[in-house]
Amino acid sequence: MIYIRAAVYEKCADRKKSWGITVKKTAKAAFAVLILLSFVLSAVSCGGKRKFSRTDVTVFDTETVITGYDTSEKSFNEKADAVTELLREYHKLYDIYNEYEGQNNLMTVNLCAGKEPVKVDERIIDLIEFSKEMYVLTDGKTNIAMGSVTAIWHEYREAGVALPSAEELLRAEHHTDIENIICDREKDTVYLADPEMSLDVGAVAKGYAAEKAAQMIEEKGWTNIALSVGGNIRTVGAKGDGTPWITGIQNPDLSSKEAVALSVSLENLSCVTSGSYQRYYELDGVRYHHIIDPETLFPENRYLSVSVVCADSGKADALSTA
């Protein structure tokens, strides 16, 4: 089961509606940002452990915060170094805007669309296969093959002066068939069969990488650690005193005096929020954000913020986008 809480602001009224929905299969909505209320830079003694925190801005072009309770700063830093290094590896592998010397990544795959299979790290194939599962789970709402469409919106959003035409978007839509992503496990290759298609893993990559980092932490036997990867929260264990971590979900109404819309307790859980109020541009009083509905090829504006709480951070990321 996945628990979703959406904060919806009506266009014709000032009052806010919020509710909880239990969903077995799909989640339909849109997005927001998280603040882990437990993230404090001061070290606090707690059951023989102290609290430490580190911030990094080199992963997935966003802010990553690692917080943990540990017996010493040295011990915490060793763990934080390992987590940061792993996240940087995933960042390079899943980057669609930059290539890295001596490594094939998703940008390489996109550049070779329709030309030849690309030999890749198996973690790229892992992400693609996970994304195909999320495509089925969300009835096609989360589709990493939408790159040809999202690239158009990215270009127009950067310029901020016009909207893409329906004709331009419909032409791009012809190149979004997820079945044209062909993975070969034996050869460790990925091939995009359509030369005009491209991958965009923005809906899943951060949450998926956070989940893999959490799994590494668990495998090493570490605990009392919380990760925030661009607002994708994943906790391993409780806090040092045994109480759950508390995550604050940012109020999507940025004009409100209430900065936090909802607080959630987490222990060995993730909380991911997708929101329409940070990456967008406005034309004639209408806001066009970065999450695109694959049915209309336009941003969906019914919701400002959707948060998903579940065990798997990658799944939470895909569902909050859906």
Side-chain angles (χ1 to χ4, degrees):
M1 292 290 188
I2 296 142
Y3 185 70
I4 302 172
R5 186 171 295 273
V8 182
Y9 289 76
E10 295 181 334
K11 299 178 183 298
C12 58
D14 292 331
R15 62 190 178 88
K16 178 181 72 175
K17 294 180 180 179
S18 63
W19 63 90
I21 310 168
T22 301
V23 179
K24 291 185 177 178
K25 184 182 179 186
T26 63
K28 296 183 179 179
F31 13 143
V33 166
L34 303 169
I35 305 168
L36 196 60
L37 296 182
S38 300
F39 284 175
V40 185
L41 294 179
S42 59
V44 181
S45 179
C46 188
K49 293 184 176 182
R50 289 183 295 158
K51 184 177 184 179
F52 302 95
S53 186
R54 178 194 289 183
T55 301
D56 185 277
V57 293
T58 63
V59 176
F60 293 106
D61 299 319
T62 188
E63 183 178 86
T64 294
V65 182
I66 304 170
T67 298
Y69 288 82
D70 215 317
T71 54
S72 70
E73 184 174 11
K74 180 177 182 293
S75 177
F76 169 76
N77 283 336
E78 289 173 351
K79 295 169 185 175
D81 286 344
V83 172
T84 300
E85 180 59 31
L86 183 66
L87 289 173
R88 286 175 181 166
E89 290 176 12
Y90 279 105
H91 165 78
K92 291 180 180 180
L93 288 171
Y94 301 157
D95 197 337
I96 63 171
Y97 299 109
N98 303 282
E99 288 190 287
Y100 301 90
E101 186 176 355
Q103 182 180 55
N104 290 334
N105 64 0
L106 285 182
M107 182 176 180
T108 315
V109 173
N110 283 342
L111 290 173
C112 293
K115 299 176 183 177
E116 60 183 356
V118 177
K119 190 170 183 61
V120 297
D121 186 295
E122 65 178 356
R123 289 173 290 183
I124 288 180
I125 297 177
D126 292 340
L127 176 68
I128 291 173
E129 292 184 346
F130 171 81
S131 299
K132 287 187 174 184
E133 292 174 6
M134 294 303 100
Y135 177 84
V136 174
L137 183 65
T138 63
D139 293 333
K141 288 291 187 182
T142 299
N143 181 6
I144 63 168
M146 285 283 292
S148 57
V149 173
T150 58
I152 292 172
W153 276 104
H154 177 78
E155 179 182 343
Y156 278 83
R157 188 169 63 251
E158 289 294 303
V161 295
L163 294 178
S165 67
E167 292 78 11
E168 185 177 10
L169 294 170
L170 286 170
R171 284 196 299 270
E173 185 190 21
H174 291 306
H175 308 289
T176 61
D177 186 352
I178 200 168
E179 295 304 319
N180 282 325
I181 309 173
I182 301 170
C183 299
D184 187 326
R185 278 282 184 188
E186 291 186 1
K187 297 180 180 179
D188 287 332
T189 60
V190 176
Y191 177 59
L192 303 186
D194 182 342
E196 294 189 54
M197 78 178 301
S198 63
L199 305 184
D200 183 342
V201 296
V204 295
K206 289 197 299 291
Y208 182 85
E211 183 62 29
K212 291 302 178 183
Q215 290 174 8
M216 180 198 74
I217 292 170
E218 292 169 339
E219 289 168 1
K220 290 181 176 294
W222 302 339
T223 189
N224 308 133
I225 296 174
L227 309 177
S228 173
V229 183
N232 292 258
I233 308 298
R234 175 63 156 88
T235 62
V236 180
K239 294 192 294 184
D241 61 0
T243 61
W245 298 89
I246 305 299
T247 299
I249 297 174
Q250 181 176 324
N251 190 339
D253 181 3
L254 302 182
S255 65
S256 173
K257 293 181 180 180
E258 298 180 8
V260 176
L262 181 72
S263 295
V264 180
S265 297
L266 301 175
E267 183 175 346
N268 293 314
L269 289 171
S270 65
C271 180
V272 178
T273 300
S274 292
S276 64
Y277 52 88
Q278 289 197 325
R279 291 171 57 193
Y280 66 89
Y281 70 110
E282 291 187 358
L283 286 175
D284 299 324
V286 179
R287 180 177 295 185
Y288 298 91
H289 59 76
H290 72 293
I291 297 182
I292 307 304
D293 186 337
E295 292 182 3
T296 67
L297 306 182
F298 270 73
E300 174 52 64
N301 287 312
R302 285 177 295 177
Y303 306 109
L304 291 180
S305 170
V306 171
S307 297
V308 176
V309 175
C310 68
D312 189 307
S313 178
K315 183 176 289 187
D317 202 357
L319 290 175
S320 66
T321 302

